[in-house]
Amino acid sequence: MPVGGSPPSAGSVSTTEPFAAADGRTVDDRSGPDGSRRARSRARDWERLAPYVLVAPAVLIIVGLRLYPLLLGVNFSFTGDGDRNGEAVGLDNYLALFDDPLFQQALRNVGLLVVLLPVAVAVPGLLATFIYLRVPGHRFFRSVYFFPAVLSPVIVGAIFNLLLAFDGPLNTVLGSVGVGPVDWLGDPDVAMFMVVGVHVWATFGMGLVVFLAGFATLDAALLDAARVDGASLRQVIRHVIIPGLTRTIQFVFVTTMIGMLTSMFGLLYVMTSGGPEGSTYLPEYYIWIQQGQMNRPALASAASTILFLIMLVVGLLQLSILRRTGRED
Amino acid sequence: MGGARVGKWFVAIPMALLALATIYPLVFTTNVAMKTRHEYVLDRFSVAESLRWSNIEGAWNSVGMARYFVNSIVVVGLSVTFLLIIGSMAGFALGQLRFRGSRALFLGCLAALFIPFQVIMVPLARTMADTGLLDTYPGLVLAYVAQFLPFTIFLMTSYYAGVPADIIDAARIDGNTLYGVYRRIMLPIGRPALLSVGILNALFCWNDVLISLLLMPSADHRTLMVGVTALRGQYSDNIPTFAAGVLIAALPVLLIYLFFQRQIADGVTAGSTKG
């Protein structure tokens, strides 16, 4: 926990320690030469304390409702559920977790997400490249592609529930050309791909606008030079765009992975409820089920801790890989 | 030149098809919401015979969508208000005032940004239950504020850090207290950032289902998104009414998108290019 110690120390410091230069120049002297000294020093105290007063509500909320619960949850994951409520059980919850086929499936699905991640980054990256190169209608494309990204996963999931229903429109179309019907959300081999596909459909616009913001910082002269030299699109991407956008690409990789690990709950809840046969479980859904439906909060806490570790590992791994490739270029 | 032009269209056509695939699901849903059940059963794709509002009315009145809608408006309104006030105060302090611990506080905020709700939901639900805040509006608002505050502070801090210190110095010389500077200078100057972060927070809160599902279990406290998930069970055999309910929930977001697309994009991309 890099954070745990700092906010309280800031609080205790405020009454005892001397303050940084900024406050020296800012003493409010409106009371004039004959204002009472006490009033002036009170004003000075207030000025000195003001920054702490300004951050106090934020610190209270973040420490109390985000950092503290994190510690509480980790602690909680080493205690028991049900009959053993409150007892220290060591690693029992973690052992139970890795024995549970549903959690194993959730981890396998995380693996699938990691494998699909480059695609989920490349699609918006490529589309942003075309939009940046002013393909006809680029303004329109930008607006349209971004739109699903602001819709709730619940709305998106509900819409695709309609479209992918066994007797729904997609199968009707396929049926008319002699294919199917496919049970898109009811076949354990297909359902997870559909959910991930819908997630990518709904969120690629997010990566797209981030890429476009990155392009805006790119040196246009470099790009023009490459094209004057007759570089192909592939060469331009490889030698101008990717090296110039390392930071943006990094950002999209990390945010897309975080999105996949933490914002698919709505889709899973609406589209498949984790089924069929548990094939669409992800850690976040598993946590929800164990906490809310199975009444096993300690086990859920253990799963939470694992999810947090996965996010840390994925984040650090990606950053280090990208930093290395960035150095090569 | 001719070659390049052909190349462009070669790309534009698949992109147009993709755009169609992006819009069509919503168009389809809108169309279904205007149909009768009979029409839908006969032909999934036919254009609705008329602009029929009865399904929308039905969804609005019968399953409590109206109630859920009001619940969502209240919760989102309160959450965004608190986020903007608390976030801009902290952003002003962290972005402009150098004080002991400010750097550590900002880093702490950044770290909190990377704690997903799923990781803290179990202890949070327990704390809410222990304090009597479970299944109450203040509890849900507090949870939303806690969830989106780190992002809000991050954005406001980077915005205020870009404000020239001269402006504040001048205001101080004119006799403003720090509070006066905050209210008379920083809030008006921060308006673009406040608008952007306010709209994004409104979308986040409006779109959330997990937090609301966890902390507002009773039926008449449901927010709109939880209400939509409940629709599915109730209207599995009446697709047009189901589609109408989905449309009601999507409409406010669609309107916000039409008016504030740029602000949303600004907020989403903050932090991706600088820092």
Side-chain angles (χ1 to χ4, degrees), chain A residues 93-116 192 257 260-261 268 278-287 302-311 313-314:
Chain A
N93 287 320
Y94 291 89
L95 295 175
L97 209 54
F98 287 106
D99 261 351
D100 187 342
L102 280 177
F103 192 70
Q104 291 168 4
Q105 183 62 42
L107 289 182
R108 269 197 295 278
N109 284 335
V110 169
L112 178 72
L113 294 178
V114 174
V115 170
L116 291 176
M192 190 62 198
M257 192 69 225
M260 281 176 155
L261 287 174
L268 296 175
S279 64
T280 57
Y281 262 71
L282 280 175
E284 55 171 332
Y285 195 76
Y286 185 89
I287 296 166
S304 291
T305 308
I306 298 286
L307 175 62
F308 189 58
L309 291 178
I310 293 175
M311 296 199 42
V313 168
V314 168

Side-chain angles (χ1 to χ4, degrees), chain A residues 158-173, chain B residues 24-25 27-49 52 55 235-244:
Chain A
I159 291 175
F160 276 91
N161 259 349
L162 286 184
L163 294 173
L164 301 176
F166 190 68
D167 60 349
L170 182 60
N171 275 336
T172 311
V173 171
Chain B
Y24 184 71
V27 175
F28 177 83
T29 308
T30 312
N31 187 40
V32 171
M34 303 290 163
K35 288 182 171 189
T36 61
R37 273 167 82 172
H38 187 64
E39 274 180 80
Y40 183 75
V41 172
L42 279 184
D43 187 345
R44 305 270 186 269
F45 297 101
S46 64
V47 176
E49 281 165 8
R52 187 183 295 103
N55 292 321
Y235 284 101
S236 52
D237 62 337
N238 186 351
I239 298 298
T241 303
F242 175 67

Side-chain angles (χ1 to χ4, degrees), chain A:
Chain A
M1 269 298 68
V3 215
S6 55
S9 79
S12 61
V13 143
S14 61
T15 49
T16 54
E17 302 264 344
F19 288 87
D23 298 288
R25 68 186 152 98
T26 54
V27 176
D28 180 359
D29 238 336
R30 256 185 311 180
S31 47
D34 48 33
S36 85
R37 177 169 292 177
R38 193 185 297 162
R40 214 187 300 168
S41 85
R42 202 182 296 148
R44 204 176 294 144
D45 274 351
W46 156 239
E47 288 293 298
R48 236 194 276 157
L49 289 176
Y52 298 97
V53 174
L54 286 171
V55 295
V59 168
L60 274 178
I61 289 175
I62 290 179
V63 172
L65 293 175
R66 291 186 69 80
L67 302 180
Y68 179 62
L70 182 66
L71 298 178
L72 213 60
V74 174
N75 194 32
F76 198 43
S77 71
F78 296 109
T79 67
D81 280 316
D83 293 342
R84 303 169 72 193
N85 186 16
E87 279 173 47
V89 297
L91 291 173
D92 282 10
N93 287 320
Y94 291 89
L95 295 175
L97 209 54
F98 287 106
D99 261 351
D100 187 342
L102 280 177
F103 192 70
Q104 291 168 4
Q105 183 62 42
L107 289 182
R108 269 197 295 278
N109 284 335
V110 169
L112 178 72
L113 294 178
V114 174
V115 170
L116 291 176
L117 180 63
V119 181
V121 174
V123 168
L126 206 59
L127 290 169
T129 308
F130 293 138
I131 289 176
Y132 177 70
L133 296 175
R134 295 182 189 282
V135 77
H138 58 276
R139 264 172 230 277
F140 170 75
F141 288 142
R142 181 196 159 114
S143 296
V144 171
Y145 291 161
F146 187 40
F147 174 60
V150 301
L151 284 178
S152 170
V154 169
I155 307 275
V156 172
I159 291 175
F160 276 91
N161 259 349
L162 286 184
L163 294 173
L164 301 176
F166 190 68
D167 60 349
L170 182 60
N171 275 336
T172 311
V173 171
L174 290 177
S176 66
V177 293
V179 181
V182 180
D183 197 357
W184 301 106
L185 299 175
D187 183 337
D189 295 327
V190 181
M192 190 62 198
F193 287 97
M194 297 318 290
V195 177
V196 178
V198 169
H199 178 74
V200 172
W201 173 88
T203 56
F204 78 92
M206 202 68 95
L208 184 89
V209 294
V210 174
F211 271 117
L212 285 173
F215 274 119
T217 67
L218 209 62
D219 186 1
L222 215 61
L223 218 71
D224 289 340
R227 293 168 97 196
V228 168
D229 288 348
S232 70
L233 181 64
R234 183 182 303 215
Q235 287 168 322
V236 170
I237 292 177
R238 174 80 184 80
H239 296 291
V240 180
I241 292 177
I242 290 181
L245 290 186
T246 316
R247 193 183 147 69
T248 304
I249 295 170
Q250 211 166 294
F251 186 86
V252 176
F253 257 100
V254 172
T255 49
T256 307
M257 192 69 225
I258 291 176
M260 281 176 155
L261 287 174
T262 62
S263 59
M264 283 178 66
F265 176 83
L267 283 185
L268 296 175
Y269 186 73
V270 172
M271 290 177 74
T272 63
S273 305
E277 297 165 31
S279 64
T280 57
Y281 262 71
L282 280 175
E284 55 171 332
Y285 195 76
Y286 185 89
I287 296 166
W288 157 256
I289 289 288
Q290 295 302 336
Q291 144 81 17
Q293 316 309 120
M294 303 300 178
N295 199 19
R296 298 197 59 185
L299 185 68
S301 283
S304 291
T305 308
I306 298 286
L307 175 62
F308 189 58
L309 291 178
I310 293 175
M311 296 199 42
L312 273 183
V313 168
V314 168
L316 294 176
L317 212 66
Q318 279 170 356
L319 284 177
S320 74
I321 290 172
L322 283 162
R323 199 163 296 150
R324 206 174 311 139
T325 53
R327 221 175 279 139
E328 275 166 22
D329 274 308

